[in-house]
């Protein structure tokens, strides 16, 4: 994907890489955030053939990992739908067992003089919802485990949009960023980080594709 804004040279985001745009201007940072939130027309994105597309077509803005990302709300329904592909022929036996349980519940309800009914089991999503399947609380509380789960989930459900985050530098250290780059490279996905800092932080993001834009709007790409 290619990314362009203001008068800066376009950014080409490499496959299987963590790309970082670290800016020292509060105004520029705000405009980048608002654009990825699809609130203003500031960032322009294009595919590998330089065809312009809506930002939301190529990017998934997820915000601040620990403040904005609820893995269950963001991904669980898509994961449940994907289960049908994963379990294959086992779905039939699972559905039969669920229907048998429904029948037993309905029969038991006849013991009460109440107008009760049991809704039919129609799809794999309904069955799985009733299991209480969710992302682990421990994962949701651990920043590295949470970003790892987010990236792996996008890969598993074949979501090809680029994950865009901010403030990840608040939660991960140098070693974890190196691990994150290795994870992204192994899975073959893309991650774009929009960060705010008044100084160059190459050392923190040393394995990432890093760009620092200072307060005077100087782009320090080599």
């Amino acid at each position: 994907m290619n990314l362009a804004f203001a008068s800066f040279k376009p950014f080409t985001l490499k496959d299987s890489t963590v790309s970082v745009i670290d800016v020292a201007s509060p105004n520029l940072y705000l405009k980048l955030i608002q654009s990825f939130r699809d609130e203003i027309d500031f960032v322009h994105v294009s595919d590998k053939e330089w065809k312009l597309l809506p930002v939301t077509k190529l990017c998934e803005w997820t915000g601040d990992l620990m403040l904005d990302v609820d893995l269950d709300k963001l991904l669980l329904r898509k994961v449940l739908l994907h289960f049908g592909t994963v379990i294959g022929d086992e779905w039939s036996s699972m559905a039969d067992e669920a229907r048998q349980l429904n029948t037993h519940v309905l029969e038991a309800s006849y013991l009460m003089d109440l107008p009760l009914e049991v809704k039919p089991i129609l799809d794999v999503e309904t069955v799985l919802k009733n299991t209480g399947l969710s992302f682990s609380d421990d994962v949701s509380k651990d920043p590295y485990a949470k970003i790892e789960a987010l990236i792996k989930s996008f890969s598993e459900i074949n979501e090809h949009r680029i994950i865009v985050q901010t403030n990840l530098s608040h939660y991960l250290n140098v070693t974890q960023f190196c691990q994150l780059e290795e994870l992204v490279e192994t899975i073959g996905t893309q991650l774009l980080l929009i960060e705010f800092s008044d100084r160059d932080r190459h050392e923190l993001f040393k394995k990432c594709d890093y760009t620092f834009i200072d307060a005077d709007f100087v782009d320090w790409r080599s």
Side-chain angles (χ1 to χ4, degrees):
M1 183 186 84
N2 304 296
L3 183 155
F5 54 89
S7 59
F8 297 103
K9 176 184 175 183
F11 296 77
T12 297
L13 306 188
K14 302 172 185 175
D15 293 336
S16 308
T17 301
V18 178
S19 300
V20 183
I21 300 176
D22 204 7
V23 303
S25 163
N27 185 54
L28 177 57
Y29 175 74
L30 179 60
K31 284 186 175 181
L32 289 172
I33 297 302
Q34 290 175 323
S35 193
F36 281 109
R37 287 167 58 93
D38 201 29
E39 295 174 352
I40 63 172
D41 183 20
F42 179 68
V43 171
H44 302 281
V45 299
S46 59
D47 60 19
K48 293 180 180 179
E49 286 72 44
W50 294 91
K51 178 183 177 182
L52 283 174
L53 294 168
V55 170
T56 53
K57 182 76 172 179
L58 294 180
C59 302
E60 174 74 18
W61 170 256
T62 55
D64 184 299
L65 178 68
M66 303 309 290
L67 299 180
D68 299 325
V69 177
D70 182 323
L71 293 174
D72 286 340
K73 289 182 179 178
L74 179 64
L75 294 166
L76 191 56
R77 185 173 186 277
K78 293 179 180 179
V79 171
L80 292 177
L81 292 172
H82 184 63
F83 252 91
T85 303
V86 175
I87 61 179
D89 295 338
E90 292 183 32
W91 156 240
S92 295
S93 60
M94 288 175 61
D96 288 341
E97 291 171 5
R99 291 188 186 103
Q100 288 175 14
L101 176 61
N102 270 18
T103 299
H104 293 319
V105 171
L106 183 61
E107 290 173 349
S109 74
Y110 295 153
L111 300 175
M112 296 180 285
D113 186 19
L114 295 172
L116 302 173
E117 64 179 8
V118 175
K119 294 182 179 179
I121 300 295
L122 300 176
D123 53 47
V124 65
E125 183 182 0
T126 303
V127 174
L128 292 171
K129 274 185 177 178
N130 291 336
T131 68
L133 189 72
S134 67
F135 285 92
S136 164
D137 285 341
D138 291 340
V139 168
S140 296
K141 294 173 183 176
D142 180 320
Y144 185 80
K146 192 172 184 180
I147 188 65
E148 180 181 38
L150 179 64
I151 291 169
K152 286 184 174 179
S153 296
F154 265 58
S155 176
E156 182 65 42
I157 64 177
N158 297 315
E159 173 58 77
H160 299 297
R161 285 181 297 172
I162 297 174
I163 300 169
V164 185
Q165 290 231 316
T166 189
N167 297 335
L168 197 59
S169 60
H170 293 189
Y171 309 114
L172 304 187
N173 57 35
V174 175
T175 300
Q176 290 172 318
F177 271 114
C178 289
Q179 294 172 340
L180 182 63
E181 174 63 34
E182 291 171 2
L183 173 68
V184 168
E185 183 177 5
T186 299
I187 292 179
T189 187
Q190 287 177 286
L191 176 64
L192 172 60
L193 306 180
I194 306 299
E195 297 283 338
F196 180 81
S197 174
D198 59 1
R199 59 185 175 82
D200 187 301
R201 297 189 290 177
H202 267 95
E203 286 304 308
L204 177 61
F205 301 104
K206 58 185 179 181
K207 279 201 170 185
C208 305
D209 186 13
Y210 178 81
T211 299
F212 177 62
I213 300 175
D214 68 21
D216 295 319
F217 301 99
V218 177
D219 176 354
W220 289 92
R221 275 178 283 184
S222 55

